[in-house]
Amino acid sequence: MTDCCTNSSVQNNVSCPQCNTVGRKVKIITLKSLLLPEALKNLNVESPYYFCSTRDCKVVYYNEDKETYQTEEIKVPIFQKNTSNHIPVCYCFGWTRKRIVDEVKKTGNSSAMSEIKQHIKEKRCGCEVNNPQGSCCLSNISSFVEALRS
């Protein structure tokens, strides 16, 4: 997990077999950490997997062979696919939509970005095993806070 918060976007053109959106490649450790036991039994550890972030698509992970894992096969709710205020935006440090909204209402701003950046600096994040997208949440936090301000 030494590089879980680096922005290593690998270009690919592998699209989700359900919604045809090109997903972001995730490490196998992400799937091992977040698949429910029954789904984990079928994981092909030799295959590269991709994360589908399309809100209305039930597929979370897929590979080039069109094998998929859907939302009900994942241990946690998926931020990109669930609009509940109690869903984590940051899976490592407990920043939910509600927590951010409450702080912005109270103070006019959110300390989520600065707090998470400090944790990253201290090498405390575990994005590869906690966040279903398999990468850092900072862009999600930034977009969410910006949308609140608009």
Side-chain angles (χ1 to χ4, degrees):
M1 284 184 292
T2 58
D3 65 347
C4 67
C5 287
T6 56
N7 190 4
S8 58
S9 58
V10 176
Q11 292 296 104
N12 74 76
N13 58 0
V14 182
S15 52
C16 173
Q18 184 170 326
C19 71
N20 293 316
T21 301
V22 173
R24 185 173 191 272
K25 189 173 183 180
V26 293
K27 294 182 179 181
I28 202 72
I29 189 67
T30 304
L31 281 82
K32 287 181 179 182
S33 300
L34 295 173
L35 290 178
L36 289 170
E38 283 304 309
L40 185 59
K41 290 177 184 178
N42 300 314
L43 180 65
N44 177 357
V45 297
E46 300 301 321
S47 176
Y49 283 87
Y50 303 87
F51 176 76
C52 176
S53 62
T54 304
R55 181 172 306 277
D56 297 328
C57 183
K58 302 263 301 163
V59 171
V60 178
Y61 303 115
Y62 62 92
N63 65 13
E64 294 171 2
D65 295 326
K66 300 185 183 333
E67 296 171 337
T68 64
Y69 294 100
Q70 300 195 1
T71 53
E72 61 272 4
E73 297 175 288
I74 312 300
K75 292 177 182 176
V76 296
I78 312 300
F79 167 74
Q80 291 84 349
K81 297 176 181 287
N82 190 315
T83 59
S84 168
N85 282 335
H86 300 287
I87 301 303
V89 183
C90 171
Y91 289 81
C92 295
F93 303 109
W95 283 96
T96 62
R97 287 184 177 107
K98 180 177 179 359
R99 182 176 171 195
I100 294 169
V101 167
D102 290 349
E103 184 181 38
V104 169
K105 282 181 182 176
K106 185 176 180 179
T107 68
N109 202 357
S110 174
S111 61
M113 287 288 287
S114 60
E115 180 184 304
I116 295 165
K117 284 180 180 179
Q118 184 60 39
H119 287 305
I120 291 168
K121 183 178 175 183
E122 299 295 329
K123 302 182 187 320
R124 294 183 186 121
C125 65
C127 305
E128 293 171 326
V129 296
N130 294 316
N131 190 336
Q133 72 187 26
S135 62
C136 190
C137 67
L138 287 178
S139 64
N140 297 336
I141 295 282
S142 178
S143 298
F144 186 71
V145 171
E146 197 58 41
L148 286 177
R149 290 183 183 148
S150 300

